Amino acid sequence: MGHKGVLVVVSGFSGAGKGTVMKELVDRYGNYALSVSMTTRKMRPGETEGVSYFFVDRSVFEQTIAQDGLIEYASYCGNYYGTPKRWVQEQLDSGKDVILEIEMQGALKVREKFPEALLLFVMPPSAEELMRRLTARGTESKEVILRRMERAVQESEGIENYDYIVMNDKLEDCVAQMHAMIAMAHNRPEQKREFIAGMRAQLGALVKGEK
Amino acid sequence: MGHKGVLVVVSGFSGAGKGTVMKELVDRYGNYALSVSMTTRKMRPGETEGVSYFFVDRSVFEQTIAQDGLIEYASYCGNYYGTPKRWVQEQLDSGKDVILEIEMQGALKVREKFPEALLLFVMPPSAEELMRRLTARGTESKEVILRRMERAVQESEGIENYDYIVMNDKLEDCVAQMHAMIAMAHNRPEQKREFIAGMRAQLGALVKGEK
């Protein structure tokens, strides 16, 4: 296929600071589109259609699944959540780099459908720091924090599936690094197919002309 | 294995400017080691053992082949040329990023032995520009230039095997970009094995301690 934009999948331990990093990235640089999920959950006060989510009813969601219209989806607390393929493709075709924040299992599903996706895993500088950040929020019980840490242990087994690790020690550095990784991905052969094809044709024509 | 340094393989069309880019890269930044080949060719005036080449006799070279001591080798005009594995490994282990300039077939052999190698392909901005650079040298006959262009047509079929394309339009930009690509490669999971293993152990210990 070869899109103009790069599909970026961002995962990381709960507490690693993904949300902050991505918000900063989008605010600071112009070329990013944060993926908007489709959901069957009811709209809440303050939420906006097409910004917070695409709100649809169950039959529309299931029809979209049937038509292979979602990059990945899951059901949570009786509601569906998924990533609409068409919206993502439109953004990529228009030249935007699309960022998708998603947990590990979803990330691997995305790679199946978009082998050219760039998979980034955000990590804290240490396990102690992760614990400190989770505790510092002050909003979660000890049990919830423990569950998140256990989840991190599980997820740490799959980090090798990602293209790059993004260390979130200092926010500034982390955002700059993530931006550089995405910018660089535009130089992969998968992203340069038109250029390579053009070069082949030009070289062939020049050689023919010289003979 | 997981080395401290990154093994970088640089290929590109003849005339793309690989040599200039690599020299500038090594001059400008501190952490690079240019790979030194082993050869059975006689030393020429002005050449230095261990800098220009490692000069050995035929029996030593063939013994090195037999011991799987070369990352790749080829024979040219009756002499052997090859890349000593041990020297490269020592440099990587000491933390140096090792740069190997090598043509496409050799590059793919290197990837077999070092799957973590970063493969970069240097390209001119256009076929016309490549032709212009080859002609501007003024030292080669029309036939030689034509042969190089034909070789470029062949090599253009294998570009998809490389990790990144490095566009050599302006030297400054090209060198900076290559440096950034190599620096970024230190953030791949293959290069961060110790950190990931440490994180797993720390997380596990913390979770155990909390229970």
Side-chain angles (χ1 to χ4, degrees), chain B residues 12-31:
Chain B
F13 305 144
S14 171
K18 294 183 297 293
T20 315
V21 171
M22 285 164 55
K23 197 192 164 306
E24 188 67 21
L25 188 75
V26 173
D27 285 354
R28 201 185 298 178
Y29 304 99
N31 200 44

Side-chain angles (χ1 to χ4, degrees), chain A residues 156 164-165 187 200 211, chain B residues 150 156 164-165 187 200 211:
Chain A
S156 73
Y164 291 103
I165 289 168
N187 296 309
R200 274 175 196 147
K211 274 187 179 167
Chain B
E150 286 174 330
S156 73
Y164 290 104
I165 288 168
N187 296 309
R200 275 175 194 145
K211 274 186 176 165

Side-chain angles (χ1 to χ4, degrees), chain B residues 7-12 17-19 21-22 25 34 98-104 107 118-122 162 166 178 182:
Chain B
L7 179 58
V8 185
V9 178
V10 178
S11 306
K18 294 183 297 293
V21 171
M22 285 164 55
L25 188 75
L34 280 183
V98 178
I99 304 183
L100 200 58
E101 184 192 335
I102 205 166
E103 45 65 61
M104 192 170 273
L118 180 71
L119 269 61
L120 305 181
F121 196 84
V122 180
Y162 286 73
V166 189
M178 195 181 269
I182 301 169

Side-chain angles (χ1 to χ4, degrees), chain A residues 71-74 102-114 119:
Chain A
I71 299 180
E72 55 77 45
Y73 70 95
I102 205 165
E103 45 65 60
M104 191 170 275
Q105 287 191 317
L108 300 182
K109 281 189 211 165
V110 173
R111 170 150 279 171
E112 280 171 30
K113 297 211 180 175
F114 288 83
L119 269 60

Side-chain angles (χ1 to χ4, degrees), chain A residues 5-192:
Chain A
V6 171
L7 179 58
V8 186
V9 178
V10 178
S11 306
F13 305 144
S14 171
K18 293 183 296 294
T20 315
V21 172
M22 284 165 53
K23 196 191 165 308
E24 188 67 20
L25 188 74
V26 173
D27 286 353
R28 202 185 298 178
Y29 303 99
N31 200 45
Y32 296 112
L34 280 183
S35 169
V36 180
S37 295
M38 183 184 273
T39 185
T40 56
R41 163 163 93 51
K42 288 272 173 292
M43 196 190 292
R44 291 176 190 155
E47 288 186 334
T48 315
E49 163 68 18
V51 177
S52 315
Y53 287 97
F54 295 110
F55 296 95
V56 297
D57 63 27
R58 207 164 179 88
S59 69
V60 171
F61 201 103
E62 289 173 348
Q63 208 182 318
T64 313
I65 297 175
Q67 293 168 344
D68 192 28
L70 298 169
I71 299 180
E72 55 77 45
Y73 70 95
S75 128
Y76 177 72
C77 293
N79 287 305
Y80 281 127
Y81 295 81
T83 307
K85 203 196 267 183
R86 194 175 142 185
W87 183 89
V88 168
Q89 259 166 348
E90 283 171 358
Q91 298 293 316
L92 293 174
D93 289 341
S94 80
K96 289 257 178 193
D97 295 330
V98 178
I99 305 183
L100 200 58
E101 183 191 335
I102 205 165
E103 45 65 60
M104 191 170 275
Q105 287 191 317
L108 300 182
K109 281 189 211 165
V110 173
R111 170 150 279 171
E112 280 171 30
K113 297 211 180 175
F114 288 83
E116 300 161 15
L118 180 72
L119 269 60
L120 305 180
F121 196 84
V122 180
M123 282 183 96
S126 69
E128 283 83 3
E129 174 61 17
L130 183 72
M131 187 103 170
R132 203 192 59 70
R133 289 183 194 173
L134 284 171
T135 313
R137 290 179 178 178
T139 51
E140 275 123 3
S141 67
K142 244 193 142 178
E143 285 68 37
V144 171
I145 293 172
L146 183 61
R147 221 175 306 136
R148 298 208 161 157
M149 294 291 285
E150 286 174 330
R151 177 74 184 265
V153 174
Q154 286 168 18
E155 287 196 333
S156 73
E157 296 301 324
I159 298 173
E160 278 84 355
N161 294 308
Y162 285 74
D163 292 307
Y164 291 103
I165 289 168
V166 189
M167 195 74 78
N168 187 14
D169 192 354
K170 287 180 188 159
L171 180 64
E172 286 288 307
D173 298 349
C174 178
V175 171
Q177 190 172 72
M178 195 181 271
H179 178 62
M181 284 167 180
I182 300 169
M184 215 60 86
H186 285 267
N187 296 309
R188 296 177 305 178
E190 306 91 286
Q191 221 68 31
K192 290 272 188 199

